[in-house]
Amino acid sequence: MISANLSAIFYLISGVLFILALRGLSSPETSRQGNLFGILGMIIAITVTFLSIGNFSTGFIFVLLFILLGGSIGAFIAYRIPMTAMPELVAGFHSLVGLAAVFVAISAFLNPEAFNLGTKGNIKLGSLIEMSIGAAVGAITFSGSIIAFLKLQGIMSGSPIVFKGQHPLNAIILISIVVLIYLLCASQSSNLFWILLAVSFLIGFLLIIPIGGADMPVVISMLNSYSGWAAAGIGFTLENTALIITGALVGSSGAILSYIMCKGMNRSFFNVILGGFGATDSNSGSANKEQRPVKSGNADDAAFLMKNASSVIIVPGYGMAVAQAQHALREMVDTLKKNDIKVSYAIHPVAGRMPGHMNVLLAEANVPYDEVFELEEINNDFANADVAFVIGANDVTNPVAKTDPQSPIYGMPVLDVEKCKSVLFVKRSLSPGYAGIDNDLFYKENTLMLFADAKKMTEDITKNL
Amino acid sequence: MEIDPLIFRLSIFILSIFVGYYVVWSVTPSLHTPLMSVTNAISSVIIVGAIIAGLSGNSNSIFNTSSIFGFLAIALAAINIFGGFLVTQRMLAMYKKKKKDK
């Protein structure tokens, strides 16, 4: 058994290692080392916990058993999961953090002596407040992430679920959570604790159902943030520095990502959270939908255009992930490069279903990361490029965002694809994108539509090159 | 008058938020997905609470309601720790630079 002071110092060290783990992600070269720092920090935290309890009884064996059980499930998932399913995986993981926080809080509430928080029915006020906040946020994270997971997995429809009185209902529930925490602290009643948990599960569910599929980058980031705040709440209860530091890091990380995602869509955070986007705006798009002529082509035409180009910019989107076209795409690019054509990739901040989704898929297909550029880095290059190859993206290329103040996506930063000499647009049909509006790019003089499955079309083009 | 230890914890918390703020802004956007999976893994340091909860039973009865919740939380957090770090490792291994000879 080691002293409380010594273990506190070790917890601090593991907190610092976690900071270094995030710091490493500032560049791909240092990132792998950063991950090792994170693992080291975790090992220190767990070891110190064992040493500070110093109870190596039979219970200890069960602890190891459950770590082993969870660990092998986790490792199995980590090795088997396809990269296209990363958003679902992360949502699923968030739900587990939330539920773990809830369980720890329940355990501390039922047996406060073990945590040094007073006695049952007479828990220290501060600890009880921290515990109930941790439990409530954890519960919201859990049920919210489950819904996000179901929507991403396609088990639940990705379209927003809205009903009358939704916002007032949510507001009442949120207020009741605050009231419940107050009453719980005043009475120490375990019934109130269970009600608090139930209500928190409910609000997590209600908060996420009105949010549509393409807003998932914001939702996932937000839940990431919540899981951090839940951990911090439990950290305060347990007076554990490692947990407090980590909770704060994760909480602010998720908040920043949500902010970046909202900015990428030019929408306010509340606008996304209050939801219903796409469901309400779709009629404005279809109202003025006259049949306009488009030029469509086949793989042969596309190959001809690209063969005669000297520079090509690829614009991937969620459709590429759905069609699993990243490997076929890279093969096409390899062939282009053999013909001395300069190829780069342009990634919009909200392309895909989570932050950085496209980058991971391209990395998986062995695309070097220094050929992949963010919107600000590459947007000026479209004017000098010969061909833009849009694969699975739509709204993020729509020039309407720059020209039409009436459009729901007006003001959203978009890739200046239309400035290219010619645009190749791989898409299954002319249907509008997620925002429910027509893309002007389809009807431009220099646009050639390639109606096909992204993967099949890319393979066909490669054959024709 | 003595300062409540809570204030110290609160100070650590607030300062860590600021550290997190600056560190996360320096993360390159192409690594935002690994960032999410690694924050997932490290927030599962909540396992330390779960271990305390799991070992809260006395020697006569390892399992009581409180410790059972502890054990469940251990398993959940362990899924996240192993899954989170390993999947991050797997992703980061894929980020490669352009070959020099080309």
Side-chain angles (χ1 to χ4, degrees):
Chain A
M1 186 149 174
I2 57 175
S3 80
N5 284 336
L6 191 60
S7 53
I9 288 173
F10 276 112
Y11 284 133
L12 181 63
I13 293 174
S14 88
V16 171
L17 285 167
F18 290 150
I19 296 174
L20 292 175
L22 299 193
R23 180 79 188 97
L25 290 170
S26 58
S27 100
E29 285 110 76
T30 55
S31 62
R32 286 173 274 259
Q33 189 197 30
N35 201 37
L36 295 180
F37 281 138
I39 295 172
L40 185 64
M42 189 60 75
I43 293 171
I44 291 177
I46 294 176
T47 315
V48 167
T49 310
F50 283 140
L51 292 177
S52 64
I53 298 174
N55 164 11
F56 292 97
S57 63
T58 25
F60 182 72
I61 296 167
F62 281 98
V63 172
L64 288 184
L65 211 66
F66 277 92
I67 292 183
L68 216 63
L69 174 75
S72 30
I73 298 173
F76 180 77
I77 297 172
Y79 280 114
R80 293 300 297 275
I81 191 92
M83 285 299 144
T84 40
M86 210 43 76
E88 292 94 303
L89 180 74
V90 168
F93 278 169
H94 286 154
S95 74
L96 298 182
V97 179
L99 196 59
V102 171
F103 284 173
V104 173
I106 292 176
S107 182
F109 185 78
L110 294 176
N111 189 359
E113 288 97 339
F115 294 84
N116 219 349
L117 305 174
T119 55
K120 200 166 181 214
N122 189 19
I123 301 171
K124 280 186 271 177
L125 179 65
S127 309
L128 192 56
I129 298 175
E130 293 151 5
M131 191 187 299
S132 28
I133 293 176
V137 179
I140 295 172
T141 313
F142 172 70
S143 53
S145 302
I146 291 287
I147 300 300
F149 175 82
L150 294 177
K151 285 196 171 196
L152 287 164
Q153 188 76 293
I155 298 170
M156 209 172 137
S157 154
S159 54
I161 298 169
V162 282
F163 53 86
K164 230 178 156 194
Q166 195 163 27
H167 300 321
L169 177 69
N170 289 351
I172 291 169
I173 294 179
L174 284 174
I175 294 167
S176 74
I177 287 179
V178 178
V179 174
L180 276 169
I181 292 180
Y182 175 78
L183 291 176
L184 174 64
C185 293
S187 70
Q188 304 254 352
S189 142
S190 54
N191 283 339
L192 284 176
F193 185 71
W194 301 119
I195 296 173
L196 172 69
L197 282 181
V199 172
S200 305
F201 280 126
L202 180 68
I203 188 70
F205 171 78
L206 287 173
L207 277 177
I208 308 301
I209 53 166
I211 305 179
D215 283 337
M216 279 303 150
V218 182
V219 172
I220 293 194
S221 315
M222 183 184 85
L223 291 167
N224 186 241
S225 180
Y226 284 3
S227 71
W229 304 131
I234 302 296
F236 274 101
T237 320
L238 305 180
E239 312 187 343
N240 183 307
T241 329
L243 252 176
I244 295 176
I245 296 178
T246 315
L249 289 178
V250 178
S252 52
S253 159
I256 291 173
L257 289 177
S258 321
Y259 171 79
I260 296 175
M261 292 303 114
C262 286
K263 227 180 84 192
M265 295 192 285
N266 189 39
R267 297 174 62 197
S268 76
F269 185 69
F270 286 102
N271 185 304
V272 175
I273 297 310
L274 294 178
F277 190 60
T280 43
D281 290 316
S282 54
N283 37 10
S284 68
S286 49
N288 53 10
K289 199 185 216 170
E290 79 271 37
Q291 282 295 334
R292 283 193 280 173
V294 294
K295 280 198 289 186
S296 78
N298 55 28
D300 203 19
D301 305 330
F304 178 79
L305 267 172
M306 285 206 261
K307 231 188 293 184
N308 291 307
S310 61
S311 70
V312 174
I313 299 179
I314 315 256
V315 182
Y318 182 58
M320 180 186 82
V322 175
Q324 306 255 15
Q326 66 271 31
H327 298 281
L329 180 68
R330 209 253 329 178
E331 276 163 32
M332 184 188 91
V333 170
D334 282 351
T335 319
L336 289 175
K337 280 199 217 151
K338 267 186 214 134
N339 294 320
D340 280 325
I341 299 164
K342 186 175 168 283
V343 184
S344 34
Y345 298 81
I347 313 274
H348 191 275
V350 294
R353 286 291 184 265
M354 77 183 292
H357 192 183
M358 290 300 122
N359 304 77
V360 170
L361 294 183
L362 292 177
E364 187 201 10
N366 278 323
V367 172
Y369 61 82
D370 38 11
E371 286 176 11
V372 182
F373 299 94
E374 303 300 316
L375 180 129
E376 309 89 65
E377 297 170 323
I378 201 167
N379 227 4
N380 292 331
D381 296 355
F382 280 107
N384 304 320
D386 296 312
V387 176
F389 186 73
V390 183
I391 174 164
N394 185 359
D395 290 335
V396 298
T397 63
N398 197 340
V400 155
K402 288 175 284 192
T403 52
D404 178 10
Q406 303 300 316
S407 166
I409 63 166
Y410 181 70
M412 170 170 130
V414 287
L415 292 159
D416 294 335
V417 173
E418 78 280 1
K419 289 188 183 152
C420 264
K421 287 197 193 78
S422 46
V423 179
L424 294 168
F425 215 111
V426 185
K427 210 170 172 309
R428 280 173 204 246
S429 69
L430 268 185
S431 62
Y434 170 72
I437 48 167
D438 232 6
N439 192 341
D440 267 2
L441 201 56
F442 298 164
Y443 313 104
K444 292 256 185 218
E445 190 66 21
N446 56 356
T447 303
L448 189 66
M449 299 297 294
L450 305 167
F451 294 113
D453 173 74
K455 188 176 174 189
K456 196 172 170 303
M457 177 53 78
T458 328
E459 283 166 351
D460 286 350
I461 294 174
T462 315
K463 273 183 221 145
N464 282 303
L465 275 171
Chain B
M1 219 180 96
E2 219 178 309
I3 299 172
D4 192 321
L6 175 69
I7 304 300
F8 289 119
R9 285 193 284 278
L10 201 62
S11 320
I12 295 174
F13 180 63
I14 304 285
L15 291 176
S16 302
I17 292 178
F18 277 93
V19 172
Y21 180 85
Y22 290 106
V23 169
V24 172
W25 270 118
S26 75
V27 171
T28 158
S30 67
L31 291 176
H32 275 163
T33 299
L35 171 69
M36 300 200 91
S37 62
V38 85
T39 50
N40 232 310
I42 65 172
S43 56
S44 301
V45 73
I46 201 160
I47 198 170
V48 302
I51 293 173
I52 299 173
L55 292 177
S56 63
N58 54 36
S59 47
N60 306 327
S61 62
I62 305 162
F63 293 106
N64 54 41
T65 333
S66 162
S67 70
I68 288 172
F69 275 113
F71 285 123
L72 290 176
I74 290 174
L76 294 178
I79 295 178
N80 249 329
I81 293 172
F82 283 75
F85 280 126
L86 288 174
V87 87
T88 311
Q89 192 82 339
R90 209 182 123 199
M91 271 191 272
L92 293 177
M94 299 184 312
Y95 282 81
K96 291 186 198 84
K97 249 194 160 139
K98 212 181 318 194
K99 284 197 200 83
K100 285 273 150 60
D101 52 22
K102 269 209 162 175

Short mmCIF file of all heavy atoms in Angstrom, two decimals, chain A residues 405-445:
data_model
loop_
_atom_site.label_atom_id
_atom_site.label_comp_id
_atom_site.label_asym_id
_atom_site.label_seq_id
_atom_site.Cartn_x
_atom_site.Cartn_y
_atom_site.Cartn_z
N PRO A 405 -28.47 34.22 -51.16
CA PRO A 405 -28.72 34.45 -49.73
C PRO A 405 -29.96 33.72 -49.23
O PRO A 405 -30.14 33.55 -48.03
CB PRO A 405 -28.89 35.97 -49.63
CG PRO A 405 -28.37 36.52 -50.89
CD PRO A 405 -28.52 35.46 -51.93
N GLN A 406 -30.86 33.30 -50.16
CA GLN A 406 -32.09 32.60 -49.74
C GLN A 406 -31.82 31.14 -49.39
O GLN A 406 -32.62 30.50 -48.74
CB GLN A 406 -33.12 32.63 -50.89
CG GLN A 406 -33.50 34.01 -51.38
CD GLN A 406 -34.09 34.84 -50.28
OE1 GLN A 406 -34.92 34.35 -49.52
NE2 GLN A 406 -33.66 36.08 -50.16
N SER A 407 -30.69 30.64 -49.86
CA SER A 407 -30.43 29.21 -49.71
C SER A 407 -30.12 28.86 -48.24
O SER A 407 -29.47 29.62 -47.54
CB SER A 407 -29.24 28.84 -50.58
OG SER A 407 -28.76 27.57 -50.22
N PRO A 408 -30.61 27.70 -47.81
CA PRO A 408 -30.34 27.31 -46.42
C PRO A 408 -28.85 27.11 -46.13
O PRO A 408 -28.44 27.17 -44.96
CB PRO A 408 -31.11 25.99 -46.25
CG PRO A 408 -31.50 25.55 -47.61
CD PRO A 408 -31.51 26.75 -48.49
N ILE A 409 -28.06 26.86 -47.17
CA ILE A 409 -26.64 26.67 -46.89
C ILE A 409 -25.83 27.93 -47.20
O ILE A 409 -24.61 27.89 -47.22
CB ILE A 409 -26.05 25.46 -47.65
CG1 ILE A 409 -26.13 25.67 -49.16
CG2 ILE A 409 -26.71 24.17 -47.25
CD1 ILE A 409 -25.28 24.68 -49.94
N TYR A 410 -26.52 29.06 -47.43
CA TYR A 410 -25.79 30.29 -47.75
C TYR A 410 -24.78 30.63 -46.65
O TYR A 410 -25.11 30.62 -45.47
CB TYR A 410 -26.77 31.46 -47.93
CG TYR A 410 -26.08 32.76 -48.30
CD1 TYR A 410 -25.50 32.91 -49.56
CD2 TYR A 410 -25.98 33.80 -47.39
CE1 TYR A 410 -24.85 34.07 -49.90
CE2 TYR A 410 -25.33 34.98 -47.73
CZ TYR A 410 -24.76 35.10 -48.99
OH TYR A 410 -24.11 36.26 -49.33
N GLY A 411 -23.56 30.94 -47.08
CA GLY A 411 -22.53 31.32 -46.10
C GLY A 411 -21.66 30.17 -45.66
O GLY A 411 -20.63 30.37 -45.04
N MET A 412 -22.09 28.96 -45.99
CA MET A 412 -21.27 27.81 -45.63
C MET A 412 -20.01 27.82 -46.49
O MET A 412 -20.09 28.07 -47.70
CB MET A 412 -22.08 26.54 -45.89
CG MET A 412 -21.32 25.26 -45.79
SD MET A 412 -22.47 23.86 -45.83
CE MET A 412 -21.73 22.85 -47.07
N PRO A 413 -18.84 27.60 -45.91
CA PRO A 413 -17.65 27.54 -46.76
C PRO A 413 -17.73 26.34 -47.70
O PRO A 413 -18.03 25.24 -47.24
CB PRO A 413 -16.50 27.39 -45.75
CG PRO A 413 -17.12 26.97 -44.48
CD PRO A 413 -18.55 27.37 -44.49
N VAL A 414 -17.54 26.58 -49.00
CA VAL A 414 -17.60 25.46 -49.94
C VAL A 414 -16.32 25.40 -50.75
O VAL A 414 -15.59 26.38 -50.86
CB VAL A 414 -18.80 25.57 -50.91
CG1 VAL A 414 -20.10 25.27 -50.22
CG2 VAL A 414 -18.84 26.92 -51.59
N LEU A 415 -16.07 24.24 -51.34
CA LEU A 415 -14.91 24.08 -52.21
C LEU A 415 -15.25 24.69 -53.57
O LEU A 415 -16.33 24.44 -54.12
CB LEU A 415 -14.60 22.59 -52.36
CG LEU A 415 -14.07 21.92 -51.08
CD1 LEU A 415 -14.27 20.43 -51.12
CD2 LEU A 415 -12.61 22.25 -50.86
N ASP A 416 -14.34 25.49 -54.11
CA ASP A 416 -14.61 26.22 -55.36
C ASP A 416 -14.46 25.33 -56.58
O ASP A 416 -13.75 25.67 -57.54
CB ASP A 416 -13.66 27.42 -55.49
CG ASP A 416 -13.93 28.45 -54.42
OD1 ASP A 416 -15.08 28.49 -53.92
OD2 ASP A 416 -13.01 29.20 -54.07
N VAL A 417 -15.15 24.21 -56.55
CA VAL A 417 -15.00 23.22 -57.61
C VAL A 417 -15.34 23.78 -58.99
O VAL A 417 -14.71 23.44 -59.99
CB VAL A 417 -15.89 22.00 -57.28
CG1 VAL A 417 -15.91 21.01 -58.41
CG2 VAL A 417 -15.41 21.35 -56.01
N GLU A 418 -16.34 24.70 -59.04
CA GLU A 418 -16.82 25.18 -60.34
C GLU A 418 -15.76 26.00 -61.08
O GLU A 418 -15.89 26.24 -62.27
CB GLU A 418 -18.11 25.99 -60.15
CG GLU A 418 -17.94 27.43 -59.65
CD GLU A 418 -17.71 27.51 -58.15
OE1 GLU A 418 -17.67 26.44 -57.49
OE2 GLU A 418 -17.57 28.63 -57.62
N LYS A 419 -14.69 26.41 -60.39
CA LYS A 419 -13.65 27.19 -61.07
C LYS A 419 -12.72 26.32 -61.91
O LYS A 419 -11.90 26.84 -62.67
CB LYS A 419 -12.83 27.96 -60.02
CG LYS A 419 -13.63 29.08 -59.40
CD LYS A 419 -12.76 29.96 -58.53
CE LYS A 419 -13.61 31.02 -57.86
NZ LYS A 419 -13.03 31.43 -56.58
N CYS A 420 -12.81 25.03 -61.74
CA CYS A 420 -11.99 24.12 -62.54
C CYS A 420 -12.40 24.17 -64.01
O CYS A 420 -13.54 24.47 -64.32
CB CYS A 420 -12.18 22.69 -62.05
SG CYS A 420 -10.93 22.18 -60.92
N LYS A 421 -11.46 23.84 -64.88
CA LYS A 421 -11.80 23.83 -66.31
C LYS A 421 -12.91 22.84 -66.59
O LYS A 421 -13.83 23.12 -67.34
CB LYS A 421 -10.56 23.49 -67.13
CG LYS A 421 -9.59 24.65 -67.17
CD LYS A 421 -8.57 24.50 -68.29
CE LYS A 421 -7.46 25.49 -68.10
NZ LYS A 421 -6.50 25.05 -67.05
N SER A 422 -12.83 21.65 -66.00
CA SER A 422 -13.98 20.74 -66.11
C SER A 422 -14.18 19.98 -64.81
O SER A 422 -13.24 19.79 -64.04
CB SER A 422 -13.82 19.78 -67.29
OG SER A 422 -12.52 19.25 -67.29
N VAL A 423 -15.42 19.61 -64.59
CA VAL A 423 -15.78 18.94 -63.33
C VAL A 423 -16.38 17.59 -63.66
O VAL A 423 -17.29 17.48 -64.49
CB VAL A 423 -16.82 19.78 -62.55
CG1 VAL A 423 -17.21 19.07 -61.27
CG2 VAL A 423 -16.30 21.17 -62.26
N LEU A 424 -15.88 16.56 -63.01
CA LEU A 424 -16.47 15.22 -63.15
C LEU A 424 -17.19 14.93 -61.84
O LEU A 424 -16.61 15.05 -60.77
CB LEU A 424 -15.38 14.17 -63.39
CG LEU A 424 -14.64 14.30 -64.71
CD1 LEU A 424 -13.42 13.40 -64.71
CD2 LEU A 424 -15.56 13.95 -65.85
N PHE A 425 -18.47 14.59 -61.94
CA PHE A 425 -19.27 14.43 -60.73
C PHE A 425 -19.81 13.01 -60.68
O PHE A 425 -20.73 12.67 -61.39
CB PHE A 425 -20.42 15.44 -60.78
CG PHE A 425 -20.78 15.99 -59.45
CD1 PHE A 425 -20.53 17.32 -59.12
CD2 PHE A 425 -21.40 15.18 -58.50
CE1 PHE A 425 -20.87 17.82 -57.88
CE2 PHE A 425 -21.74 15.69 -57.26
CZ PHE A 425 -21.47 17.01 -56.95
N VAL A 426 -19.22 12.19 -59.81
CA VAL A 426 -19.71 10.81 -59.69
C VAL A 426 -20.86 10.79 -58.70
O VAL A 426 -20.70 11.20 -57.56
CB VAL A 426 -18.60 9.86 -59.20
CG1 VAL A 426 -19.10 8.43 -59.20
CG2 VAL A 426 -17.37 10.01 -60.04
N LYS A 427 -22.02 10.31 -59.17
CA LYS A 427 -23.19 10.34 -58.30
C LYS A 427 -24.16 9.30 -58.83
O LYS A 427 -24.15 8.97 -60.00
CB LYS A 427 -23.81 11.74 -58.39
CG LYS A 427 -24.52 12.16 -57.13
CD LYS A 427 -24.89 13.63 -57.18
CE LYS A 427 -25.77 14.00 -56.00
NZ LYS A 427 -26.93 13.11 -55.84
N ARG A 428 -25.00 8.78 -57.94
CA ARG A 428 -25.94 7.77 -58.43
C ARG A 428 -27.07 8.39 -59.23
O ARG A 428 -27.54 7.83 -60.20
CB ARG A 428 -26.54 7.02 -57.25
CG ARG A 428 -25.63 5.95 -56.72
CD ARG A 428 -26.26 5.42 -55.48
NE ARG A 428 -25.27 4.83 -54.62
CZ ARG A 428 -25.25 3.54 -54.35
NH1 ARG A 428 -26.14 2.75 -54.89
NH2 ARG A 428 -24.36 3.06 -53.54
N SER A 429 -27.55 9.56 -58.79
CA SER A 429 -28.68 10.18 -59.48
C SER A 429 -28.58 11.68 -59.26
O SER A 429 -27.67 12.17 -58.62
CB SER A 429 -30.00 9.67 -58.92
OG SER A 429 -30.15 10.18 -57.62
N LEU A 430 -29.56 12.39 -59.80
CA LEU A 430 -29.55 13.85 -59.65
C LEU A 430 -30.16 14.31 -58.33
O LEU A 430 -30.33 15.50 -58.11
CB LEU A 430 -30.35 14.49 -60.79
CG LEU A 430 -29.57 14.88 -62.05
CD1 LEU A 430 -30.48 15.60 -63.00
CD2 LEU A 430 -28.37 15.75 -61.72
N SER A 431 -30.51 13.38 -57.47
CA SER A 431 -31.21 13.75 -56.23
C SER A 431 -30.40 14.76 -55.43
O SER A 431 -29.17 14.74 -55.45
CB SER A 431 -31.46 12.51 -55.39
OG SER A 431 -30.21 11.96 -55.04
N PRO A 432 -31.11 15.66 -54.74
CA PRO A 432 -30.39 16.67 -53.98
C PRO A 432 -29.67 16.04 -52.80
O PRO A 432 -29.98 14.92 -52.40
CB PRO A 432 -31.49 17.61 -53.50
CG PRO A 432 -32.74 16.82 -53.56
CD PRO A 432 -32.57 15.80 -54.63
N GLY A 433 -28.72 16.78 -52.25
CA GLY A 433 -27.93 16.28 -51.14
C GLY A 433 -28.69 16.39 -49.83
O GLY A 433 -29.90 16.61 -49.81
N TYR A 434 -27.97 16.28 -48.77
CA TYR A 434 -28.59 16.23 -47.46
C TYR A 434 -29.38 17.49 -47.14
O TYR A 434 -30.46 17.44 -46.57
CB TYR A 434 -27.50 16.03 -46.40
CG TYR A 434 -28.04 16.22 -45.02
CD1 TYR A 434 -28.87 15.24 -44.49
CD2 TYR A 434 -27.76 17.35 -44.29
CE1 TYR A 434 -29.40 15.40 -43.24
CE2 TYR A 434 -28.29 17.52 -43.05
CZ TYR A 434 -29.11 16.55 -42.52
OH TYR A 434 -29.63 16.71 -41.30
N ALA A 435 -28.87 18.65 -47.55
CA ALA A 435 -29.54 19.90 -47.21
C ALA A 435 -30.85 20.04 -47.99
O ALA A 435 -31.60 20.98 -47.78
CB ALA A 435 -28.63 21.09 -47.49
N GLY A 436 -31.12 19.11 -48.89
CA GLY A 436 -32.38 19.12 -49.61
C GLY A 436 -32.44 20.16 -50.71
O GLY A 436 -33.51 20.54 -51.16
N ILE A 437 -31.30 20.66 -51.16
CA ILE A 437 -31.31 21.66 -52.22
C ILE A 437 -30.56 21.16 -53.43
O ILE A 437 -29.66 20.34 -53.32
CB ILE A 437 -30.69 22.99 -51.75
CG1 ILE A 437 -29.37 22.71 -51.06
CG2 ILE A 437 -31.63 23.75 -50.85
CD1 ILE A 437 -28.55 23.91 -50.85
N ASP A 438 -30.97 21.70 -54.57
CA ASP A 438 -30.34 21.34 -55.82
C ASP A 438 -28.92 21.90 -55.87
O ASP A 438 -28.66 22.97 -55.35
CB ASP A 438 -31.16 21.97 -56.95
CG ASP A 438 -31.53 20.93 -57.97
OD1 ASP A 438 -31.24 19.74 -57.72
OD2 ASP A 438 -32.10 21.31 -59.01
N ASN A 439 -28.04 21.15 -56.50
CA ASN A 439 -26.67 21.63 -56.64
C ASN A 439 -26.51 22.25 -58.03
O ASN A 439 -26.61 21.57 -59.04
CB ASN A 439 -25.70 20.48 -56.45
CG ASN A 439 -24.27 20.95 -56.31
OD1 ASN A 439 -23.96 22.08 -56.69
ND2 ASN A 439 -23.43 20.12 -55.74
N ASP A 440 -26.26 23.56 -58.09
CA ASP A 440 -26.11 24.28 -59.36
C ASP A 440 -25.00 23.70 -60.23
O ASP A 440 -25.01 23.82 -61.45
CB ASP A 440 -25.79 25.75 -59.10
CG ASP A 440 -27.05 26.58 -59.08
OD1 ASP A 440 -28.14 25.98 -59.25
OD2 ASP A 440 -26.96 27.81 -58.92
N LEU A 441 -24.05 23.09 -59.56
CA LEU A 441 -22.89 22.56 -60.25
C LEU A 441 -23.28 21.51 -61.30
O LEU A 441 -22.62 21.39 -62.33
CB LEU A 441 -21.97 21.93 -59.20
CG LEU A 441 -20.51 21.72 -59.54
CD1 LEU A 441 -19.87 23.03 -59.93
CD2 LEU A 441 -19.80 21.15 -58.32
N PHE A 442 -24.39 20.79 -61.04
CA PHE A 442 -24.81 19.74 -61.97
C PHE A 442 -25.07 20.31 -63.37
O PHE A 442 -24.91 19.62 -64.36
CB PHE A 442 -26.12 19.08 -61.51
CG PHE A 442 -26.03 18.37 -60.19
CD1 PHE A 442 -27.18 18.03 -59.50
CD2 PHE A 442 -24.81 18.04 -59.63
CE1 PHE A 442 -27.11 17.38 -58.29
CE2 PHE A 442 -24.73 17.39 -58.41
CZ PHE A 442 -25.89 17.06 -57.74
N TYR A 443 -25.54 21.55 -63.42
CA TYR A 443 -26.05 22.10 -64.68
C TYR A 443 -25.05 23.01 -65.37
O TYR A 443 -25.34 23.61 -66.38
CB TYR A 443 -27.36 22.86 -64.41
CG TYR A 443 -28.30 22.05 -63.55
CD1 TYR A 443 -28.47 22.35 -62.22
CD2 TYR A 443 -28.99 20.96 -64.09
CE1 TYR A 443 -29.32 21.58 -61.43
CE2 TYR A 443 -29.82 20.20 -63.31
CZ TYR A 443 -29.99 20.51 -61.98
OH TYR A 443 -30.81 19.76 -61.20
N LYS A 444 -23.85 23.11 -64.82
CA LYS A 444 -22.85 24.00 -65.42
C LYS A 444 -22.37 23.42 -66.75
O LYS A 444 -22.35 22.20 -66.95
CB LYS A 444 -21.66 24.16 -64.48
CG LYS A 444 -22.00 24.94 -63.22
CD LYS A 444 -21.46 26.34 -63.30
CE LYS A 444 -21.74 27.01 -61.98
NZ LYS A 444 -22.09 28.29 -61.83
N GLU A 445 -21.95 24.34 -67.59
CA GLU A 445 -21.45 23.99 -68.92
C GLU A 445 -20.30 22.98 -68.84
O GLU A 445 -20.23 22.04 -69.63
CB GLU A 445 -20.97 25.28 -69.60
CG GLU A 445 -20.63 25.17 -71.04
CD GLU A 445 -21.86 24.86 -71.89
OE1 GLU A 445 -23.01 25.11 -71.45
OE2 GLU A 445 -21.66 24.34 -72.99
#
